[in-house]
């Protein structure tokens, strides 16, 4: 697509695979640093933002057992 460069591909890759370890996301991008991936490439979607508090509550409740 015109106007879409490597940065947009890196953002899609890093955002789609957000559940993978950070090291996995850094290596294929030419050795990007973790800071670069987190600050420039990863973008959470609305579903992830809604799900995070639920997951936190489940983890907290699970630790009480």
């Amino acid at each position: 697509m015109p106007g879409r460069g490597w940065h947009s591909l890196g953002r899609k890759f890093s955002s789609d695979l957000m559940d993978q370890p950070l090291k996995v996301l850094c290596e294929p991008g030419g050795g990007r640093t973790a800071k670069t991936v987190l600050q420039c490439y990863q973008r959470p979607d609305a579903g992830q933002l809604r799900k995070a508090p639920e997951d936190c509550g489940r983890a907290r409740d699970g630790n009480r057992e």
Side-chain angles (χ1 to χ4, degrees), residues 5-61:
W6 291 109
H7 183 76
S8 63
L9 294 174
R11 182 175 290 157
K12 176 149 179 54
F13 174 82
S14 295
S15 294
D16 288 354
L17 299 175
M18 198 176 293
D19 60 334
Q20 295 295 311
L22 193 52
K23 180 107 175 134
V24 171
L25 300 178
C26 293
E27 294 297 323
R32 288 186 193 114
T33 65
K35 182 178 178 180
T36 300
V37 170
L38 293 171
Q39 288 183 337
C40 301
Y41 288 97
Q42 283 190 339
R43 299 288 188 258
D45 64 25
Q48 290 169 317
L49 293 172
R50 280 191 301 270
K51 188 174 179 271
E54 295 169 9
D55 290 349
C56 182
R58 273 191 233 116
R60 186 180 61 240
D61 292 342

